[in-house]
């Protein structure tokens, strides 16, 4: 199974499956990393939702049922849009749109109706392992989103100050501002440095500031 470069290079930094799913679309500049059903499968393998073998099964199933795969792809984008609306609002201390919450509730109901409760080493957990269910990766995502919303530490939910990605700030003093220091943090430092140099060279401009 081939993984496109734009998924291979995608940073997985949300700290939560639901947020990583939302971050499959870069805000600024806009880069869509889910361009079709195959990308949805490739992303699921990348984040460990599916094994390579499971991903290959889904891809061949999708080849047999292309219209169903397209429907699942559209459903995935609809879920992602709803989640972005919910979590962005929460990150900005606003009330999430009720329409978005209702969409999430619909997906969660579907997830629980298709899931199984299984016992593992650490206790019981939900599992979605129907190899022919083309939408099987959406259920753990929807369930993670509901879990984050109902029992996550939402005070730690933040929006990157540079690119609008969402992440859970796990730093001790909750001071993380960037999705990643290497990308947005460094860009901001460079921007500030350039502005400072320009101001030094042009004292009038500095007094305007
Ligand atoms: Zn960022």
């Amino acid at each position: 199974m081939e993984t496109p470069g734009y998924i291979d290079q995608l940073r997985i930094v949300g700290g939560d499956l639901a947020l990583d799913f939302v971050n499959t679309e870069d805000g600024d500049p806009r880069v869509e990393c889910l361009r079709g059903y195959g990308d949805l499968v490739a992303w699921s393998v990348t984040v460990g939702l599916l094994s390579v073998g499971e991903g290959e099964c889904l891809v061949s199933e999708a080849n047999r049922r292309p219209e169903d795969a397209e429907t699942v792809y559209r459903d995935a984008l609809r879920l992602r849009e709803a989640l972005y609306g919910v979590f962005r609002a929460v990150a900005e201390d606003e009330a999430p749109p009720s329409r978005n919450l209702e969409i999430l509730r619909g997906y969660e109901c579907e997830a629980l109706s298709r899931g199984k409760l299984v016992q593992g080493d650490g206790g019981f957990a939900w599992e979605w392992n129907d190899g022919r269910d083309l939408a099987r990766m959406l259920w753990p995502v929807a369930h993670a989103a509901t879990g984050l919303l109902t029992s996550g530490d939402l005070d730690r939910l933040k929006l990157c100050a540079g690119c609008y990605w969402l992440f859970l700030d796990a730093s001790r003093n909750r001071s993380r501002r960037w999705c990643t220091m290497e990308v947005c943090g460094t860009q901001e430092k460079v921007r500030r440095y350039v502005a400072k140099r320009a101001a030094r060279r042009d004292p009038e401009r500095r007094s305007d500031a």
Side-chain angles (χ1 to χ4, degrees):
M1 205 180 76
E2 243 177 81
T3 304
Y6 49 85
I7 290 183
D8 226 10
Q9 287 155 24
L10 192 64
R11 290 157 291 137
I12 308 296
V13 297
D16 184 279
L17 179 64
L19 301 180
D20 286 329
F21 181 64
V22 174
N23 292 342
T24 53
E25 185 184 41
D26 258 338
D28 186 25
R30 191 173 178 279
V31 178
E32 175 59 87
C33 292
L34 300 181
R35 302 175 190 178
Y37 183 77
D39 289 349
L40 192 57
V41 174
W43 174 80
S44 305
V45 172
T46 299
V47 297
L49 266 183
L50 299 173
S51 68
V52 173
E54 288 169 333
E56 281 166 351
C57 281
L58 283 186
V59 169
S60 46
E61 188 67 24
N63 288 337
R64 271 195 294 275
R65 296 157 48 203
E67 280 177 19
D68 291 344
E70 181 63 21
T71 303
V72 170
Y73 171 63
R74 297 282 152 214
D75 281 347
L77 296 189
R78 182 166 169 267
L79 173 62
R80 187 181 65 181
E81 198 187 337
L83 294 185
Y84 184 68
V86 168
F87 289 117
R88 178 170 182 154
V90 173
E92 295 185 318
D93 286 329
E94 287 168 10
S98 52
R99 204 181 73 88
N100 294 40
L101 288 172
E102 193 50 29
I103 291 173
L104 172 57
R105 192 186 69 83
Y107 280 83
E108 173 72 347
C109 287
E110 186 75 21
L112 297 187
S113 76
R114 297 194 193 204
K116 285 192 194 114
L117 267 175
V118 292
Q119 191 167 21
D121 294 339
F124 286 86
W126 287 96
E127 201 175 85
W128 291 270
N129 58 7
D130 177 353
R132 297 196 56 207
D133 180 3
L134 291 172
R136 63 181 283 189
M137 74 290 278
L138 300 186
W139 314 130
V141 169
H143 191 60
T146 315
L148 178 58
L149 211 54
T150 55
S151 52
D153 190 352
L154 294 177
D155 285 344
R156 292 190 181 272
L157 178 62
K158 290 187 180 172
L159 195 65
C160 174
C163 73
Y164 310 114
W165 269 19
L166 288 157
F167 62 89
L168 284 183
D169 179 3
S171 67
R172 194 192 291 220
N173 55 2
R174 305 182 185 213
S175 59
R176 183 173 153 198
R177 294 185 59 207
W178 317 105
C179 58
T180 47
M181 201 57 211
E182 309 86 68
V183 179
C184 290
T186 306
Q187 273 174 14
E188 174 65 12
K189 274 189 182 161
V190 170
R191 197 189 61 74
R192 272 191 235 152
Y193 176 75
V194 170
K196 223 169 166 183
R197 291 257 317 227
R200 226 179 276 148
R201 250 185 273 125
D202 182 357
E204 266 181 39
R205 204 174 124 185
R206 183 161 46 171
S207 60
D208 288 348

